[in-house]
């Protein structure tokens, strides 16, 4: 959709990346560490100062202490972290529970490692987790469950009750969890992010994956981290060692220093909530109906009052004919559902959002 948007000079509210730059201080720190000559292979698990900064943040926010030496690994992006966790854990024939709709990297990561995805559909239109269906999907062959809160593409978030349900359900099993928390700092309306780190019965079996890209407006840098108990991290690093091996050194030093400014991540939810509300305000009076956006930087709009078209057709037509690009939510399912929903990214300047919303209001 980004390519189509560029071809047609459309307002691009499709792919999930900001159209504004990162903090100038962060850019200056990268320059500082590149010029300081920190340009050779860093330690495999990540530079100690950054691992420490991550562990301190997680302890302060979620109350769990991860051991810097054995339980924290810096990786080249969350997608890489997820893939590596799957490759370390999943053997041919193992079942992996995935929710639908889901971020598109999960199923291929499972399948290429010989695993069998077992899908549970989130309910529509509230995108809640049908816990009874999850319980039924768990079998003796279940090796892993992949969860993602705040959720892309639905913009829903898990409640503490959701995580307690999962904790109870997995007690006594050896199922491991990959918890994709790349939007951990973007939860709206005063709610707290429910990390697996808050729940001992989940943390003990989880790979907690996050991304610097989403938090610091640098998706192109591809950097993230993975926290997991020692036994899981040992397996994780066996794969990491012979794949990427290390993650970009000067950027790690830059983030370690930049993370001292807690406001950069503590203020992120308010920053994006303002953008969400601006976009919704600009859409007021439109026939596109907003679904709740409780986290992430996505706003889903239901178009059942606008058109009968499939979402894939409408998304292309809106880009070509009206000049605004979005993502059809059905592409995040194996079998396209009948729902009429397009996903719009509001990690954009107010000018871009106002122009996009104005086009939608006229439809
Ligand atoms: C749910 C989810 N996980 C992971 C990622 C990717 O993170 P990274 O760029 O750090 O690989 C994204 C990016 O869109 C995402 O939405």
């Amino acid at each position: 959709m980004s390519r189509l948007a560029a071809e047609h000079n459309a307002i691009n509210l499709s792919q999930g990346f900001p159209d504004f730059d990162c903090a100038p201080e962060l850019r200056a720190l990268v320059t500082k560490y590149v010029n300081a000559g920190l340009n050779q292979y860093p330690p495999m698990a990540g530079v100690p100062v950054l691992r420490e900064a991550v562990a301190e943040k997680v302890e302060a926010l979620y109350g769990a202490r991860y051991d810097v030496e054995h339980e924290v690994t810096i990786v080249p992006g969350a997608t890489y972290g997820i893939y590596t966790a799957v490759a370390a854990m999943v053997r041919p024939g193992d079942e992996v529970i995935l929710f639908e709709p889901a971020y598109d990297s999960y199923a291929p990561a499972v399948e290429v490692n010989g695993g069998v995805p077992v899908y549970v559909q989130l309910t529509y239109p509230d995108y809640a987790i049908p816990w009874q269906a999850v319980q039924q999907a768990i079998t003796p062959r279940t090796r892993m469950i992949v969860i993602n809160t705040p959720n892309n593409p639905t913009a829903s978030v898990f409640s503490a009750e959701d995580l307690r349900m999962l904790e109870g359900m997995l007690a006594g099993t050896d199922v491991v969890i990959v918890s994709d928390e790349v939007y951990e700092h973007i939860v709206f309306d005063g709610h707290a992010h429910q990390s697996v780190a808050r729940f001992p019965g989940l943390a003990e079996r989880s790979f907690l994956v996050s991304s610097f890209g989403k938090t610091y407006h640098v998706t192109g840098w591809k950097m993230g981290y993975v926290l997991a108990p020692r036994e899981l991290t040992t397996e994780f690093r066996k794969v990491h060692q012979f794949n990427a091996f290390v993650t970009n050194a000067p950027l790690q030093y830059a983030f370690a220093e930049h993370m001292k400014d807690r406001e950069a991540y503590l203020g992120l939810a308010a920053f994006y909530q303002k953008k969400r509300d601006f976009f919704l305000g600009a859409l007021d009076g439109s026939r596109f109906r907003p679904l709740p956006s409780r986290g992430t930087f996505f706003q889903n709009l239901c178009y059942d009052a606008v058109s009968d078209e499939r979402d894939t057709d409408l998304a292309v037509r809106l880009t070509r004919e009206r000049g605004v690009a979005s993502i059809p939510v059905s592409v995040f399912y194996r079998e396209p559902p009948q729902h009429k929903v397009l996903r719009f990214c509001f990690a954009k300047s107010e000018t871009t959002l106002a122009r996009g919303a104005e086009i939608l209001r006229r439809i």
Side-chain angles (χ1 to χ4, degrees):
M1 292 308 298
S2 280
R3 199 176 59 221
L4 195 69
E7 272 167 31
H8 293 272
N9 207 12
I11 306 284
N12 187 5
L13 305 183
S14 63
Q15 223 179 330
F17 59 82
D19 74 346
F20 41 85
D21 205 359
C22 65
E25 306 85 64
L26 181 57
R27 289 204 308 269
L29 285 169
V30 173
T31 308
K32 172 175 137 182
Y33 287 109
V34 168
N35 288 341
L38 292 165
N39 297 313
Q40 307 309 326
Y41 293 133
M44 187 256 278
V47 303
V49 276
L50 182 56
R51 281 185 276 152
E52 183 57 46
V54 168
E56 271 172 20
K57 179 192 81 167
V58 169
E59 184 173 18
L61 294 182
Y62 312 130
R65 180 70 200 177
Y66 284 86
D67 177 68
V68 171
E69 195 51 42
H70 303 292
E71 300 184 326
V72 181
T73 311
I74 309 300
V75 292
T79 310
Y80 174 95
I82 293 161
Y83 181 85
T84 305
V86 171
M89 288 292 128
V90 173
R91 297 288 164 263
D94 284 351
E95 293 178 359
V96 178
I97 297 177
L98 304 177
F99 292 100
E100 267 192 324
Y103 178 56
D104 48 7
S105 85
Y106 305 155
V110 170
E111 285 169 349
V112 82
N113 284 288
V116 182
V118 173
Y119 292 95
V120 174
Q121 290 216 356
L122 300 178
T123 59
Y124 179 80
D126 53 349
Y127 297 115
I129 299 167
W131 283 112
Q132 217 180 337
V134 177
Q135 179 74 74
Q136 282 162 4
I138 298 173
T139 74
R141 298 172 75 92
T142 307
R143 181 68 182 124
M144 177 181 279
I145 176 164
V146 181
I147 60 175
N148 169 219
T149 182
N151 186 266
N152 175 17
T154 69
S156 60
V157 300
F158 282 30
S159 65
E161 185 51 28
D162 285 324
L163 290 186
R164 272 194 291 273
M165 288 291 286
L166 186 61
E167 194 174 32
M169 225 169 251
L170 298 185
T173 72
D174 60 2
V175 176
V176 295
I177 298 170
V178 167
S179 184
D180 180 346
E181 302 185 19
V182 301
Y183 300 101
E184 61 179 318
H185 301 299
I186 318 178
V187 178
F188 303 136
D189 306 316
H191 293 287
H193 169 58
Q194 297 300 331
S195 172
V196 285
R198 291 181 189 270
F199 299 82
L202 296 177
E204 68 180 14
R205 60 175 78 244
S206 290
F207 294 91
L208 189 175
V209 184
S210 192
S211 171
F212 293 100
K214 306 290 176 186
T215 302
Y216 293 99
H217 316 312
V218 286
T219 57
W221 289 6
K222 293 300 290 186
M223 272 190 66
Y225 57 84
V226 177
L227 311 179
R230 184 170 178 163
E231 314 78 69
L232 296 183
T233 296
T234 302
E235 296 307 306
F236 181 92
R237 290 183 185 169
K238 286 179 189 170
V239 178
H240 175 53
Q241 176 165 13
F242 297 110
N243 196 3
F245 173 49
V246 293
T247 303
N248 188 307
L251 293 188
Q252 291 195 54
Y253 288 104
F255 275 122
E257 193 167 333
H258 193 57
M259 280 183 76
K260 289 182 186 145
D261 172 15
R262 288 164 50 85
E263 200 35 46
Y265 50 86
L266 293 180
L268 198 65
F271 173 81
Y272 275 122
Q273 185 169 324
K274 192 160 164 250
K275 288 196 179 291
R276 178 198 67 176
D277 293 345
F278 178 85
F279 186 50
L280 287 175
L283 277 171
D284 203 23
S286 160
R287 290 193 296 155
F288 287 85
R289 184 165 47 83
L291 299 179
S293 171
R294 301 197 163 96
T296 74
F297 41 51
F298 300 114
Q299 176 63 59
N300 286 324
L301 299 179
C302 176
Y303 63 87
D304 56 5
V306 175
S307 164
D308 283 336
E309 281 163 280
R310 288 189 313 193
D311 60 355
T312 41
D313 293 337
L314 182 63
V316 169
R317 200 165 65 77
L318 286 181
T319 309
R320 286 201 177 123
E321 296 175 12
R322 302 292 190 137
V324 63
S326 58
I327 297 280
V329 169
S330 70
V331 302
F332 298 97
Y333 292 81
R334 277 161 314 158
E335 300 288 333
Q338 295 308 307
H339 318 149
K340 304 212 168 321
V341 183
L342 297 175
R343 190 199 75 180
F344 293 81
C345 173
F346 55 78
K348 309 292 170 188
S349 70
E350 288 196 351
T351 315
T352 309
L353 293 174
R355 286 169 62 204
E358 177 55 26
I359 295 171
L360 294 171
R361 268 197 316 123
R362 281 193 265 110
I363 295 171

